[in-house]
Amino acid sequence: MEEKTYLKWYNKIGYGSGDIAGNVVYALLSAFVMIFLTDTVGMNAGIVGTLIAVSKLFDGVSDIFFGSMIDKTHSKMGKARPWMFYGYFGCAICLVAIFVIPADISAFAQYAWFFIAYTLLNAGFYTANNIAYSALTALITKNNHERVQMGSIRFMFAFGTSMLIQTITVGCVAFFGGGASAWRTVAIIYAIVGVVSNTISVMSVKELTSEELAEGETKNEDVQEEKYSLIDAFKLLVHNKYYLMICASYILMQVYSATLNMGIYYMTYVLKNANLLGVFSWAINIPMILGLLFTPALVAKFKGMYRLNFYGYTLGTVGRLGVLIAGYMGSVPLMLACTAIAAIGMSPLQGDMNALIATCSEYTYLTTGKRVDGTMYSCTSLGTKIGGGIGTALAGWLLAISGYVGGAAEQSASCMNMLHIMYLWIPMIINLLITLILTRLNVEKANEELRQRIE
């Protein structure tokens, strides 16, 4: 029996375009905020890394809070769309604020300015927007194939936007004259682009009603559906082992991305060409987008996500090992080729992640009778912010430990060795850890066994 379809092609494209908004924020911050603060504003990399790490202490609570609030929201726009729409205006303002740190205030005031703007962005507005955007996967369709398609399309937009940001930003800053004023102009332009794309995405889809979501569901009659508090929601999450695995994987994926985005330092001081960041971005994102195109068909061919994700990340780990070897050989073409191989292997998990989370949410429903779609999708925002924050903070700490001097023409031998560790070793190790987690993440099989037991 074929699953009912809910979406037209333009709904899927419109939904996916929302990741343009998310990635003009994420890509700009993860790739360039550190070098902007160290080389333009003159801040210390270690202090910035510490501030970012402290900021992340607020994120875990805010993720679950906003996820729970989305679950409890009832409006004409639905549960998630209001949070996605209104939350992004705060994102845009805070993004610009980070890049307009006044030069004529004290160093302490500059650090405070950055910390406040960064925390409001990540723990507040970006959280509300991103969790709501991800939760829409479970709220606008019940068709698992459509969910995989939506995940693939959104990440095509995500990687395309990230690739574009990493390719043109250095040139745009130079075009606008360089320095703090140029960074401010670029941030304003990106914020406007984000507001427009986010609005288009919100208006492109419509959430299903509670009755439509419950239609045809298999429910465990041994458990009673009841209201739950924020603490109850947290308990539901931590008692779902698949949620914890997905959350760990997502955090590691974002640490991986943030580490590669710090490649601006590797390109500048090891490869002696900052513009190579854009070239490596193409080597990552073009294969990733091509892989995402085929992910829905591959999920169908493999009869599920489990084996596809595991085999894919095994290839991704081998690819990053090749990048490491090529890096020490000094062969940029080989590094680019192995980077592309790794990206192809990693693409299926990126494409079906939202569908995987929806399946994980169904596991909670089958075992507890409680629907916590918004709270469940907190792992996407939690992973993006905590993982990205850890990656950026780690880069700051490692740079400070290695003796990095902002704006210097040459760096010390210890700093050069650290840049190799940051760009070559850490990504490969992270891919290996994710592959090990994926060996146990077979939530589809668990759900099928639960349905048979309930029936």
Side-chain angles (χ1 to χ4, degrees), residues 72-358:
K72 296 177 181 180
T73 296
H74 300 281
S75 73
K76 291 183 179 179
M77 290 180 70
K79 289 176 173 290
R81 290 168 72 223
W83 294 92
M84 179 180 170
F85 179 67
Y86 293 110
Y88 197 82
F89 291 99
C91 287
I93 293 170
C94 290
L95 178 67
V96 174
I98 290 172
F99 288 89
V100 296
I101 298 174
D104 56 354
I105 59 177
S106 68
F108 177 83
Q110 288 181 329
Y111 286 117
W113 180 296
F114 166 71
F115 179 77
I116 292 170
Y118 187 85
T119 302
L120 283 174
L121 172 61
N122 283 279
F125 300 113
Y126 187 86
T127 298
N129 172 268
N130 191 257
I131 293 178
Y133 180 51
S134 297
L136 281 176
T137 304
L139 296 173
I140 64 178
T141 178
K142 294 170 61 180
N143 186 306
N144 205 52
H145 183 67
E146 287 184 333
R147 288 172 175 171
V148 173
Q149 287 180 319
M150 288 167 62
S152 293
I153 291 170
R154 70 168 285 193
F155 281 110
M156 287 181 206
F157 278 103
F159 293 124
T161 303
S162 180
M163 178 177 67
L164 186 62
I165 296 292
Q166 292 179 18
T167 301
I168 70 172
T169 298
V170 172
C172 285
V173 171
F175 175 80
F176 288 115
S181 62
W183 282 105
R184 179 178 65 244
T185 302
V186 169
I188 291 172
I189 293 171
Y190 287 171
I192 293 171
V193 170
V195 168
V196 172
S197 61
N198 184 73
T199 302
I200 291 172
S201 181
V202 169
M203 301 306 172
S204 295
V205 295
K206 181 180 179 181
E207 294 181 31
L208 301 176
T209 64
S210 300
E211 292 75 20
E212 289 173 317
L213 287 170
E215 183 182 345
E217 286 281 5
T218 302
K219 181 180 175 182
N220 191 340
E221 298 297 338
D222 294 332
V223 294
Q224 298 297 316
E225 193 165 358
E226 58 187 28
K227 294 181 179 180
Y228 57 93
S229 66
L230 181 61
I231 295 175
D232 294 327
F234 177 75
K235 290 179 179 178
L236 287 172
L237 295 184
V238 298
H239 283 93
N240 185 329
K241 63 181 180 180
Y242 298 108
Y243 169 83
L244 297 178
M245 285 187 238
I246 290 174
C247 201
S249 298
Y250 212 96
I251 290 173
L252 287 170
M253 288 162 65
Q254 298 305 318
V255 174
Y256 173 94
S257 296
T259 304
L260 288 190
N261 286 334
M262 288 296 101
I264 184 69
Y265 290 98
Y266 186 85
M267 307 305 160
T268 301
Y269 295 106
V270 177
L271 300 183
K272 305 297 184 182
N273 184 356
N275 289 316
L276 278 175
L277 181 67
V279 178
F280 274 85
S281 179
W282 280 71
I284 294 169
N285 290 295
I286 293 298
M288 188 75 76
I289 291 170
L290 292 175
L292 291 170
L293 281 171
F294 294 100
T295 294
L298 289 172
V299 170
K301 180 177 178 60
F302 279 84
K303 295 182 169 59
M305 297 174 276
Y306 170 67
R307 286 191 302 147
L308 175 61
N309 291 338
F310 171 67
Y311 294 153
Y313 250 84
T314 301
L315 177 62
T317 304
V318 172
R320 287 310 305 184
L321 178 61
V323 175
L324 188 154
I325 295 170
Y328 281 102
M329 289 171 56
S331 173
V332 172
L334 185 57
M335 287 181 70
L336 290 169
C338 292
T339 295
I341 292 171
I344 289 174
M346 295 162 61
S347 61
L349 183 60
Q350 295 282 359
D352 64 33
M353 177 61 84
N354 273 15
L356 191 62
I357 298 169

Side-chain angles (χ1 to χ4, degrees), residues 15 20 53 66 254 341 373 410:
Y15 169 81
I20 296 175
F66 282 114
Q254 298 305 318
I341 292 171
D373 297 310
E410 298 289 338

Side-chain angles (χ1 to χ4, degrees), residues 447-455:
N447 283 356
E448 186 58 36
E449 291 174 350
L450 280 170
R451 290 191 196 97
Q452 293 176 0
R453 195 181 310 158
I454 292 167
E455 290 171 357

